[in-house]
Amino acid sequence: MRKQLLSPLVPFLIFFLYISTTVAQTPSPAPSGPANITAVLEKAGQFATFIRLMKSTQEANQINTQLNNSNQGLTVFAPTDNAFTNLKAGTLNSLSDQQKVQLVQFHILPNFLSMSSFQTVSNPLRTQAGNSAAGEFPLNVTTSGNQVNITTGVNTATVANTILTNGQLVVYQVDQVLLPLDLFGTAAALPAPAPSKPDKDVPAKAPAGSKEDASVDTSGATIATVSVSAVLIAAFH
């Protein structure tokens, strides 16, 4: 009788023991911490140049420190390797160390901006490079439907993709390097135009009464004087 009562419970007991063992052996997930900006970009791929620039300027460490030590959000516009390839040859090498820092900071906003926030945000946007409201490193956003364009005063980039968004850090892929007007203003970036080549020189006719005319007249008078003298001498002989 006891055996008959236990028989229906055996499957349930086995299932309970299996679930308990499985749960005990499964490790608990590690607590999610602030994202590491270089790790995010490395995982996404095609951002090697921007990563190298962020590391060389120490901006990667600055971003990670800020994410770990505060609740302040950040927005990063990450240009692809192709975007850097499209720059004029020697553009990065022509910048000083301080200007490279400003270039990277120009791609970072000191607050979290979701994609929908671009529809209502006020221009100009403040970047890590300076106070745009005071005319330093102005950055403006324009939208057309779901498309978001970033305008610098030198060029315009398009937000192509959202690489990461976690409520504290959002990283957007952009198709061009954002060139600050303060560093790449058109007046300073364009070479001065070459002077126009003058037309073929045509000797100007000397004005009447000039020295050149006087020399011609004098030589003519000399020839006439010599001729008269020769006639007189021949007459006496």
Side-chain angles (χ1 to χ4, degrees):
M1 182 69 178
R2 185 182 302 174
K3 184 176 182 181
Q4 291 176 347
L5 292 174
L6 290 175
S7 296
L9 297 177
V10 170
F12 294 101
L13 291 173
I14 295 174
F15 179 76
F16 178 78
L17 291 174
Y18 173 78
I19 293 297
S20 301
T21 304
T22 304
V23 171
Q25 291 177 349
T26 303
S28 58
S32 58
N36 180 297
I37 182 61
T38 54
V40 170
L41 294 175
E42 286 170 354
K43 183 178 179 180
Q46 68 177 338
F47 297 99
T49 305
F50 192 51
I51 292 172
R52 185 165 59 250
L53 192 58
M54 294 182 76
K55 288 182 176 180
S56 66
T57 58
Q58 302 300 314
E59 284 303 308
N61 292 336
Q62 293 288 341
I63 292 174
N64 293 333
T65 299
Q66 185 171 341
L67 292 173
N68 280 286
N69 297 331
S70 74
N71 294 324
Q72 182 179 359
L74 290 176
T75 300
V76 177
F77 299 110
T80 62
D81 291 333
N82 285 338
F84 281 97
T85 302
N86 291 333
L87 290 177
K88 183 179 178 181
T91 297
L92 294 181
N93 292 334
S94 67
L95 300 177
S96 66
D97 290 342
Q98 177 60 28
Q99 288 173 330
K100 289 178 182 177
V101 170
Q102 292 172 327
L103 177 62
V104 174
Q105 290 176 339
F106 192 60
H107 290 75
I108 306 169
L109 307 182
N111 56 310
F112 180 92
L113 272 184
S114 64
M115 185 64 75
S116 60
S117 299
F118 288 121
Q119 302 287 342
T120 57
V121 72
S122 298
N123 288 317
L125 300 181
R126 179 172 172 263
T127 70
Q128 296 278 56
N131 186 357
S132 298
E136 298 174 350
F137 296 89
L139 187 63
N140 295 281
V141 172
T142 58
T143 59
S144 177
N146 294 327
Q147 180 172 311
V148 177
N149 295 324
I150 313 296
T151 304
T152 71
V154 177
N155 65 339
T156 300
T158 300
V159 175
N161 187 27
T162 302
I163 301 170
L164 171 76
T165 178
N166 63 7
Q168 185 185 22
L169 172 66
V170 57
V171 183
Y172 296 111
Q173 173 184 326
V174 290
D175 62 351
Q176 291 194 47
V177 179
L178 303 179
L179 302 178
L181 185 64
D182 299 69
L183 302 181
F184 299 94
T186 53
L190 296 177
S196 58
K197 187 177 181 180
D199 296 334
K200 186 177 180 180
D201 293 338
V202 178
K205 184 178 179 180
S210 65
K211 290 183 179 180
E212 292 178 347
D213 285 340
S215 63
V216 172
D217 294 341
T218 302
S219 61
T222 304
I223 294 172
T225 303
V226 172
S227 300
V228 172
S229 300
V231 171
L232 292 175
I233 292 172
F236 283 107
H237 286 284

